[in-house]
Amino acid sequence: MAFTYFPGGHIVLSDKARPIVEATLPVVGEHIAEIANRFYAHMFAEHPQLQDGVFNRGNQAEGSQPKALAGSVAVFATALVKSPQQLPERLLTRIAHKHASLGISPDQYQIVRDNLMWAIGDVLGDAVTPDVAAAWDEVYWLMAYALIHQERGLYSARGVTAERVWRQWRVAQKVPETDDVTLFVMQRIDDRPVKTSLPGQYISVNVLMPDGVRQPRQFSLTRADDGEHRYFAVKRVHGGGKPDGEVSNLLHDRVQVGDELTMSVPYGDVVLDDGGRPVVFVSAGIGVTPMAGMISHLVAARSRLKVTLLHADANEVSFPLRRQIAADLARLPQSALHVWYEDGTGSELPLTGTHAGTMELTGMDLPDNAVYYLCGPIAFMQAIRSSLLQRGVSVRDIQYEVFGPDLWQADTD
């Protein structure tokens, strides 16, 4: 499949495919969720091995994974037609980093293509003429090749192949942070060099479940590397009417000190840029974990940057990693910590400011020319990002970390 990059990395549809995709985008978009559901069901029936160590079956069960695929393809196809000079680069980069952390290989894209094209034909029937099929095949491969190209570079930068992303680590400590959050301190057990993480990155953990199926999850690294250990925090997922999170509960209840876990090398595109400008971290709940990692890196580097953390939570005892973060910020000469607690303003931490209710930036004195890093629920990040844009903060100065299958949603506000 031939495809074209304009100078600067832009991707364009062929002259033949473009009008066909433009004409059929509404009908494909109308049925994209059903196409995604049929795709996954058919692919897992044909390739059951992909359910072991690749896909999150919790997201499959609740329907969020098909929704994520549908949303990503729709965003990409719409951009190809309407704004090929402004493709969703952040979306592609986030997906590529997640794929690299799972050890995705180029040959798996052919499997996805075959089953996705089958699903399009199965749902749309006779409307999928040979020309329509060829045009959407081109859309798929444009997106796939863009991801494959990025993933190849990510593996090369880490000195690994897709097959060597994983290694065993031993649980050295389990530290309760809150009623629902536990910190895992992992220690290396072999002589392979430890690939240093960048501030803000995450690892994937591939957990063997009781039924023998491996399930991967991503967790932010919460401390700067020391060459021997990795640190990550896990929030116990309560179903709230749905099944509880199987991996988070297993890690909390069954994995003990001395056990081994399979972990990937670090990946993640939301990385602290120590360019000398003030830094503002904005988080909610467990979304504070990448912020803790970035702040730890700043301490290790003896940074003199102006650093501000704005955090929202139910109350202080629900605030994960609060003692580590407060201690680290105290070691940075120009730091501030503001919190918003839904249950009131009681605090024993050394805070710059405490506020009741949900986070509100109106009236906040934020540093000029700052760069912003956001992490938390999608709705929280979209609201904060909109508030920052209204204050005149440039889009390029706002980065945000997205976990779970919702990688595409933060680009739709």
Side-chain angles (χ1 to χ4, degrees), residues 248-267:
S248 67
N249 281 275
L250 185 145
L251 289 170
H252 272 255
D253 298 335
R254 299 194 183 186
V255 174
Q256 302 300 328
V257 171
D259 290 347
E260 292 183 11
L261 291 175
T262 304
M263 291 168 38
S264 75
V265 297
Y267 284 108

Side-chain angles (χ1 to χ4, degrees), residues 64-106:
S64 54
Q65 188 70 54
K67 182 180 178 182
L69 173 69
S72 298
V73 172
V75 167
F76 184 79
T78 300
L80 280 177
V81 169
K82 295 184 177 180
S83 56
Q85 303 295 325
Q86 295 180 330
L87 291 176
E89 295 296 337
R90 279 187 171 180
L91 171 65
L92 294 173
T93 300
R94 284 197 295 267
I95 294 174
H97 275 267
K98 184 171 182 180
H99 282 182
S101 80
L102 294 170
I104 299 299
S105 58

Side-chain angles (χ1 to χ4, degrees), residues 114-138:
D114 293 344
N115 288 274
L116 183 59
M117 295 307 297
W118 174 89
I120 291 173
D122 186 57
V123 172
L124 300 183
D126 293 342
V128 184
T129 66
D131 283 347
V132 169
W136 281 93
D137 192 43
E138 187 173 328

